[in-house]
Structure formats: structure tokens, C-alpha cells
Amino acid sequence: MFVNTLSNFLKISRTHLIRNMHNSIKEHKVKVGNVDINIVEAGSGNNSVLLMPGALGSAWTDFKPQIESLPKLLPNYTIIAWDPPGYGKSIPPKRNFGLEFFQNDAKCAVDLMKSLNRPKFSILGWSDGGVTALIMAGRYTENVEKLAIWGAGAYINEDEVKAIEGIRDVNKWSPRMREPMEQVYGAERFAELWSQWTDAEIAYYTHCNGNFCRSEVTKIKSPTFILHGKKDPMVAAEHIPYLRQRLPFVKYHEFPDGKHNIHLRYADEFNKLVSDFFLKKI
């Protein structure tokens, strides 16, 4: 009887834990200019961390382990994950690519945080979101307190262009990689949007000498944590020393077997590392 009672207690406790965790997560839209931006908020601390997704990414496709776990590790923070304009549930508008799309996202993200009355915040930026985060930290130095990035660089090189061109056709992707995006956009729209993104990335190489944000990097003042999967097939290793040589306060951690999605593949270790970085006074 004691065993049955204990088992029932544990089941009830687990149910309450799951319910309380989801009760602390809010998903809603915020008007930023003339765009309704979809965000997910987790936790209730006075400090803020903004999660910036990768290409075509959204809060839930890119950051589920962070949304669910970081509030416990950062109790004095509110975790905010956004869907950039034209991505995820921030539609309309249609995604507007061009040679300023990173810069446009950076301004929109800062305006979003101001709309939430959180003008000072830290950032977790993955891949394209890492590029946008570098621009934000360089252009809006008074707003960005700390910065953690992975899978990102200040420019794109020839090998990376070839890698991106090699994954243009989403029909050649594995179902495991393709289906989460198809669930968000539909199969046809996802293929179309991904091809447009591929063209936009390559345009930076052909029209801007590969430059995403070289000048912004030199203006960054905030402490920066660079995390890197040593086996990342999408990001050249040369970006790590490039950034480390130009950032004023930089911490580095490498995942020896990590690829592009280290925050998903090694979620517990990743979350602990970035939480310690945000909590440490510098």
C-alpha cells in the first residue's frame, strides 16, 4: 500500500510540475511598428535574455530546450524567444530578404525589447540569429548587456557559399530535418522560402564581399561568449579566431564532436554553460 501511495504521489507531483512549467510560459504577439511579432516568454525575472533563431527559425523550432529549462537556471531572468518578421507565426508580412535583412532584424529586435519595457537585455544568438546578435551588440551598445553566439560569423566565405548552395534543395534533406519546418510553413512555402534565403546569403558574398557585420564587430562592448561545434559543417573554423581577436571581453567553449545545433544536441551542458556566463559578474 505504501508503494502504491508513493507511486501516486510521484505521479501527481510530476503532473503539477509539468503544469506549473507550462503555466509560466506565455506565447503572444507584440506590435512592433506595423508588424505583429510572435514571442514566447518564460520565467518572470527582471533581467532579460532574448533568443534569436537561425534561418527560417522560430521560438519553438529552434529553442524548445532553452525555453523549458533556462528559467530554472536563471530565476532572475525572463527568457524571451521571438519569431523574426516573416518567420514562424510572425506572418504577415512575407519575409523580405535583401542586403539589409540582418540589419533590419536587428533593429526590429531592439524595438521589440523596448516595446516590452526591457531596453537592456542579453542575447542568445544561433546561426543567422548570431549574426543579427553581433549587429545588435555593435549598433546598440547601450542596450545589449551580454552576448552568447554559436554557428555564426561576421562574413561568409567561398566554402560556406558552396555549403549553402549544396543544401538549397530541401527535397534532398532527411525527413527529420525537413518536417519541423514543413509543419510551420507547409512543404511548398518552406521550399520557396529556403531558396530565397539561399539567394540572399549568396548575395552578401557576391555583392558585399561576403560582409555581414565586420564593422559592427569592432564596436561591440559587451562581454561575449562564443560556443562552437568543432565539426560544424556550415561555419568555417576561421570565424572563431577572427571574432576572438576583435571582441574586447570574450569567453570560448568548444564541443569537440558538436556540429551546427550544439544547443539542441547537448542541451543540458549548453544551458548550464550559458547560464553560468549570464550569472557571472564581469
Side-chain angles (χ1 to χ4, degrees):
M1 183 174 179
F2 171 77
V3 173
N4 289 335
T5 302
L6 178 61
S7 177
N8 289 334
F9 172 77
L10 291 174
K11 287 179 182 178
I12 293 170
S13 297
R14 183 174 181 273
T15 300
H16 281 300
L17 179 64
I18 293 171
R19 184 180 295 126
N20 288 338
M21 179 184 75
H22 287 288
N23 284 344
S24 68
I25 296 174
K26 300 183 298 180
E27 184 168 3
H28 60 105
K29 292 194 174 184
V30 178
K31 178 71 75 173
V32 180
N34 60 352
V35 179
D36 290 322
I37 296 295
N38 188 71
I39 67 169
V40 176
E41 292 186 80
S44 57
N46 292 328
N47 299 310
S48 310
V49 177
L50 176 62
L51 279 50
M52 311 282 291
L56 278 64
S58 63
W60 287 113
T61 60
D62 288 15
F63 290 118
K64 187 174 185 289
Q66 285 68 49
I67 292 169
E68 292 180 346
S69 297
L70 284 180
K72 296 189 290 287
L73 297 170
L74 295 169
N76 295 325
Y77 282 77
T78 295
I79 311 303
I80 300 162
W82 82 325
D83 299 357
Y87 285 172
K89 297 178 184 177
S90 294
I91 300 173
K94 277 192 169 184
R95 181 65 175 178
N96 182 24
F97 291 110
L99 294 177
E100 291 286 324
F101 82 84
F102 286 120
Q103 289 76 11
N104 292 339
D105 279 356
K107 183 181 185 304
C108 185
V110 172
D111 289 345
L112 165 68
M113 297 304 286
K114 290 179 179 178
S115 295
L116 295 171
N117 198 28
R118 294 179 177 273
K120 291 186 180 294
F121 54 91
S122 295
I123 308 175
L124 277 177
W126 177 39
S127 196
D128 271 18
V131 177
T132 306
L134 289 169
I135 293 169
M136 293 166 70
R139 291 192 175 188
Y140 307 96
T141 56
E142 300 305 315
N143 300 101
V144 178
E145 296 178 323
K146 288 187 177 182
L147 175 68
I149 60 169
W150 65 106
Y155 58 88
I156 185 171
N157 69 20
E158 184 178 2
D159 289 337
E160 290 166 328
V161 167
K162 292 177 181 176
I164 288 171
E165 189 61 64
I167 58 171
R168 178 191 290 271
D169 186 355
V170 299
N171 292 314
K172 295 179 180 178
W173 293 19
S174 69
R176 182 179 63 86
M177 295 296 294
R178 189 176 64 242
E179 287 172 359
M181 289 297 188
E182 290 180 342
Q183 290 173 6
V184 174
Y185 299 105
E188 184 177 346
R189 177 56 180 157
F190 169 51
E192 177 186 29
L193 197 58
W194 186 261
S195 185
Q196 292 173 356
W197 172 82
T198 301
D199 289 338
E201 292 277 320
I202 294 172
Y204 274 99
Y205 182 75
T206 56
H207 297 295
C208 304
N209 195 30
N211 181 38
F212 291 148
C213 57
R214 288 187 180 102
S215 63
E216 284 88 352
V217 165
T218 64
K219 299 171 185 175
I220 292 174
K221 298 177 182 179
S222 55
T224 303
F225 189 8
I226 301 173
L227 303 102
H228 178 59
K230 192 173 183 180
K231 297 180 180 179
D232 190 334
M234 302 304 299
V235 177
E238 68 189 58
H239 291 293
I240 305 305
Y242 180 92
L243 291 172
R244 293 180 76 177
Q245 291 165 11
R246 289 164 176 80
L247 295 170
F249 308 101
V250 63
K251 175 182 173 67
Y252 177 71
H253 182 85
E254 184 172 278
F255 292 80
D257 294 317
K259 296 183 180 179
H260 198 55
N261 61 343
I262 52 176
H263 65 303
L264 302 176
R265 176 67 178 82
Y266 307 98
D268 290 344
E269 181 182 359
F270 178 93
N271 289 344
K272 182 65 166 59
L273 286 166
V274 297
S275 296
D276 288 348
F277 170 69
F278 289 133
L279 291 171
K280 184 177 181 180
K281 292 184 178 181
I282 299 177

